[in-house]
Amino acid sequence: MEKPEINRLDLNILLILANEDATDELKGMTINEINYFNGEDKPLCTRANLSKRIRRLHSVGLMEKGIKEVVSDTFFITEFGLKTIKWNGGKSNE
């Protein structure tokens, strides 16, 4: 599978999931959790834009849907997503 083009927002979404160890169905994050990850009142972007970017990342295989949290879908980063962003578990020496 070739690497899809990603922009800065896509990278931030994937890094949030990687940092939070959202790597399987049980550890997924909702759109609101991703959007307000920094704990500030200011979201990452508009919910509509975030939803659109997540749908695109899901369609190219960088993210998958996890189990539902009440009525909200959760999402997690795939192995392909981790390889795409060259995630090394947060280690700075690699």
Side-chain angles (χ1 to χ4, degrees), residues 31 34 50-58 63 75:
I31 290 176
I34 295 168
L50 184 61
S51 295
K52 181 175 121 181
R53 299 312 304 174
I54 286 176
R55 278 194 308 274
R56 184 185 169 285
L57 291 170
H58 179 261
M63 294 174 63
F75 298 90

Side-chain angles (χ1 to χ4, degrees), residues 2-89:
E2 71 180 58
K3 286 188 180 181
E5 268 191 45
I6 60 174
N7 63 22
R8 187 178 287 183
L9 177 58
D10 297 337
L11 181 62
N12 283 330
I13 294 166
L14 294 172
L15 285 172
I16 288 170
L17 293 172
N19 279 324
E20 288 299 297
D21 195 31
T23 55
D24 64 31
E25 296 88 357
L26 298 174
K27 298 177 187 174
M29 296 176 71
T30 65
I31 290 176
N32 280 339
E33 289 172 336
I34 295 168
N35 209 13
Y36 290 95
F37 173 73
N38 294 327
E40 300 173 7
D41 291 335
K42 184 179 177 194
L44 188 62
C45 63
T46 65
R47 183 175 171 85
N49 193 25
L50 184 61
S51 295
K52 181 175 121 181
R53 299 312 304 174
I54 286 176
R55 278 194 308 274
R56 184 185 169 285
L57 291 170
H58 179 261
S59 71
V60 296
L62 296 172
M63 294 174 63
E64 286 294 328
K65 281 188 179 183
I67 60 173
K68 284 201 176 259
E69 185 172 303
V70 186
V71 295
S72 299
D73 287 326
T74 62
F75 298 90
F76 64 96
I77 189 168
T78 62
E79 285 295 319
F80 178 58
L82 291 171
K83 288 177 186 170
T84 300
I85 63 171
K86 296 182 176 122
W87 182 251
N88 61 7

